[in-house]
Amino acid sequence: MDTRRLGYFVRVADVGNITRAADSLHITQSALSQHISALESDFKTRLLERTGRGVQVTASGRSLYRYAQGILRLEKAARIDLRAGDETPAGLVTVGLASYSMAPGVAVPLLRAVRERYPNIHLQLIQNLTVVMSQAVLLGQVDMALIYDPGYVKGVVFDHVLEEEFRLVTSIRAPHPAGRRDTVTLKEASRLDFIMPNELHTVRRVTDAAFHAAGLHCSVVAEVEPDTVLRDAVVSGLGATVLPLTAVRAHFAPDEVRVHRFADARLRTAMSLCTPEVQPLSHAAALVADLLRTLMLDPAVPVRGAG
């Protein structure tokens, strides 16, 4: 199979328009269409459907898209590794980071450590993917991922790193939910409107489960995925949220929000390093994984959720 065609297909799927994709690839539209047709002939299925505004990826196309990303990443990793030779550790290493967690807080320390110790390792840090991070590890789209531990997932292993404890976060502009106490009960919190990640996100599932166990309802008025949008919405007083303490410290200034510990419930979950179960990590990826584990134990790195 010509991996170049897979790259063309991924670009078309990302752009959603063959003409614009061809321009970005610096080839003609007809040539790009021929490459896509050849790919469809090779797989004996339609990958794209034309619409009035461009193209839409079919169900088969979405499956190929996920595998194509892994294949293209491995090809890029191989080229970097082979160019570097055997003198120093080298290669492409991709690390997935869970949103709304302490994971982004370790990104810059990890990048600094890799640049200082292994300058020939090309590090990619990714937070948003079309599939959940554990599946991205399984598909080879990322080498490893620092994520909330979802429990058993076939094909990957989870190395427990630490616990994340959640806090209620309200705008300094909004009325105090608990009579100026630092703690809040679930019943007091249930009177608030919440802005949260979607129902598939671990933060949301843990929060909903705690309210449900107490016989209460968490009133979610909006579901927001981008971290910055949720931050701005909470600061402006559009709603409260529940986040790990490390995420609160990373996204909010102390004078923007009030942070409350739950008095009658402990909302928490485990953070783990997710790696493939069968496929061994490359030498470069194994070195990055070791660095990541070391950083998670370093008290100088601001990623801990205690307090």
Side-chain angles (χ1 to χ4, degrees), residues 245-285:
L245 183 57
T246 48
V248 176
R249 291 170 174 166
H251 291 292
F252 298 97
D255 60 350
E256 292 179 323
V257 293
R258 300 185 185 95
V259 183
H260 313 270
R261 182 184 286 109
F262 288 98
D264 53 350
R266 197 170 189 190
L267 281 67
R268 63 188 307 166
T269 191
M271 290 295 298
S272 294
L273 183 62
C274 176
T275 54
E277 184 176 29
V278 177
Q279 181 68 27
L281 294 175
S282 68
H283 179 50

Side-chain angles (χ1 to χ4, degrees), residues 279-299:
Q279 181 68 27
L281 294 175
S282 68
H283 179 50
L287 291 172
V288 170
D290 288 342
L291 273 180
L292 189 52
R293 293 186 184 96
T294 300
L295 287 171
M296 299 303 297
L297 298 174
D298 186 350

